[in-house]
Amino acid sequence: MTIRAAVMPGPGLPVEIRELPEPALEPGSILLETLASEVCGTDVHLRHGRLAGVPYPIVPGHVSVGRILEAVGVDTDALGQPISVGDTVTFYDVHEVCNTCWHCLVARQPNRCPSRRVYGITYSADEGLLGGWAERIHLKPGVKVLKLPEPLTADDVIGGGCGLFTGFAAVERSGLEMGDTVVVQGAGPVGLATAALATLRGAARTILIGDPGPRLALARMLGADHTLSLTEDSIEARADVVSSLTAGRGADVVIEACGNPVALAEGFDLLRDGGTYVIAGHYTDAGTVEINPHLDINRKHADVRGQWGTDFRHVVRALEVMAKHRDRLPFAEAIGARYPLEEANSALDDVESLQVTKAIIAPGAP
Ligand SMILES: [Zn+2]
Ligand SMILES: [Zn+2]
């Protein structure tokens, strides 16, 4: 038997449907029937070849939800919850972190481990069904699988997707304190999740800067107190709003989630003296930007932090927070469209042109 997968053959080439062999399930592995897989900005970058070290051809799809068809000697999820055939699960896309190298053991930064592999990004389609844009997903032994916490559905998890986990990590990294004023730069899935979680964590004011209008409306629905447009509000007007909301001091925390280097000048400008600036949106190299070390960092006494990827704990905790506060985190409503495997190229086009905020690949969709 063969299994249909949407394969990205290489940079600049359209995604095509291929038949991949059914995986041989080794002890400790799980076979999922794919219910939904995310199409995120990273997949657009992958199509354009903007990430280094990607072993094309690949089956994209790094955040996915599936139903267990077969589990070979696995009866609990990564947290010890019993799992069995028919259960709906998601899984941590990062796999094969070694726990023995310098990065893992000394720096305690498994996100820099050289052995690290990521479903949908750094596994080749030649290695199997190791991405979500396929009818089945092969979870290798040791992949951290998670039963969805009640009452979450596949749509909740994919609607939040990796933006939810990255936003969670960025907010945590910022050290945001209750009562802080936060500026979020970017209205994509990461920016939206960042704004929602910043508010939930106790920010007194969450101000999101981005576009287009429907995403700003979504940001307000998810908990942003103020939204400012990149096109309709001038950079001076945006600075005036932040200044007036903070008695001229600037934001305690600024989180960049837009991936445009130009945003950094504005971000530093909006940050108060002694504030924290987290750069979380530059997953690919979008170029350089001029920074004034004296004004932006040194004299400002700024704390500037990068956030690379997510750890397993971010996924676990983000899902737990979402399960508790589901009514305040209606990410399922961010899903703009569902695409069968055959329409993966349209899904990528629509995400790239900002036609939809969150697109999902549903192999079972008509
Ligand atoms: Zn390691
Ligand atoms: Zn992603």
Side-chain angles (χ1 to χ4, degrees):
M1 186 192 155
T2 56
I3 290 160
R4 291 165 61 251
V7 172
M8 199 177 269
L13 299 173
V15 173
E16 59 192 40
I17 301 296
R18 290 192 193 171
E19 305 269 340
L20 298 186
E22 191 175 4
L25 295 181
E26 63 274 60
S29 62
I30 294 174
L31 186 67
L32 297 183
E33 174 193 8
T34 312
L35 297 176
S37 186
E38 183 179 20
V39 181
C40 96
T42 299
D43 300 308
V44 174
H45 293 315
L46 286 168
R47 177 162 71 163
H48 295 299
R50 295 194 196 115
L51 266 73
V54 176
Y56 298 98
I58 60 167
V59 179
H62 43 282
V63 176
S64 310
V65 175
R67 186 179 294 123
I68 298 177
L69 290 177
E70 227 179 312
V72 185
V74 185
D75 49 18
T76 64
D77 75 359
L79 301 177
Q81 296 286 323
I83 51 171
S84 53
V85 169
D87 281 346
T88 301
V89 297
T90 186
F91 61 94
Y92 183 46
D93 55 358
V94 175
H95 187 45
E96 296 188 36
V97 165
C98 75
N99 291 317
T100 55
C101 75
W102 184 89
H103 298 277
C104 286
L105 287 179
V106 180
R108 288 187 293 180
Q109 282 189 304
N111 54 358
R112 305 305 303 170
C113 174
S115 305
R116 183 180 186 267
R117 306 286 298 275
V118 185
Y119 271 72
I121 300 177
T122 63
Y123 279 116
S124 167
D126 299 333
E127 295 174 88
L129 294 161
L130 305 173
W133 296 10
E135 292 173 315
R136 303 280 185 270
I137 307 171
H138 176 197
L139 301 185
K140 289 163 160 280
V143 169
K144 293 180 179 65
V145 63
L146 288 168
K147 196 167 172 172
L148 300 198
E150 293 282 343
L152 297 187
T153 64
D155 277 7
D156 290 322
V157 176
I158 296 295
C162 65
L164 177 77
F165 310 141
T166 307
F168 189 98
V171 170
E172 184 190 76
R173 183 96 167 113
S174 75
L176 173 69
E177 293 186 22
M178 285 192 284
D180 275 351
T181 295
V182 185
V183 168
V184 177
Q185 298 178 286
V190 178
L192 292 170
T194 299
L197 292 166
T199 298
L200 201 57
R201 181 155 158 160
R205 288 166 214 89
T206 302
I207 305 154
L208 181 137
I209 301 173
D211 264 332
R215 289 192 180 193
L216 299 184
L218 198 53
R220 290 190 295 274
M221 188 180 79
L222 288 164
D225 302 295
H226 306 271
T227 54
L228 296 167
S229 164
L230 287 168
T231 49
E232 286 165 28
D233 303 304
S234 68
I235 191 164
E236 294 82 13
R238 300 196 293 265
D240 284 347
V241 169
V242 174
S243 177
S244 68
L245 287 169
T246 57
R249 290 185 292 264
D252 301 289
V253 167
V254 179
I255 300 178
E256 179 279 318
C258 65
N260 187 340
V262 172
L264 265 76
E266 182 177 16
F268 278 113
D269 186 49
L270 299 177
L271 185 69
R272 74 159 163 84
D273 286 358
T276 302
Y277 194 6
V278 176
I279 312 295
H282 280 73
Y283 197 62
T284 58
D285 183 353
T288 56
V289 68
E290 212 168 83
I291 287 170
N292 185 313
H294 170 66
L295 295 175
D296 293 333
I297 301 176
N298 198 326
R299 195 181 76 171
K300 196 177 263 278
H301 198 63
D303 193 348
V304 184
R305 305 174 178 185
Q307 174 61 43
W308 181 248
T310 54
D311 296 341
F312 179 57
R313 70 197 160 88
H314 297 127
V315 175
V316 172
R317 294 190 159 185
L319 292 178
E320 284 175 346
V321 166
M322 195 190 214
K324 172 162 183 185
H325 297 285
R326 188 171 180 239
D327 53 332
R328 290 179 62 178
L329 301 171
F331 280 99
E333 293 183 37
I335 297 173
R338 289 163 210 277
Y339 303 81
L341 292 173
E342 294 75 12
E343 290 174 21
N345 290 302
S346 306
L348 287 164
D349 291 342
D350 292 349
V351 168
E352 183 163 18
S353 62
L354 309 185
Q355 294 286 310
V356 295
T357 303
K358 180 67 71 178
I360 66 176
I361 301 284

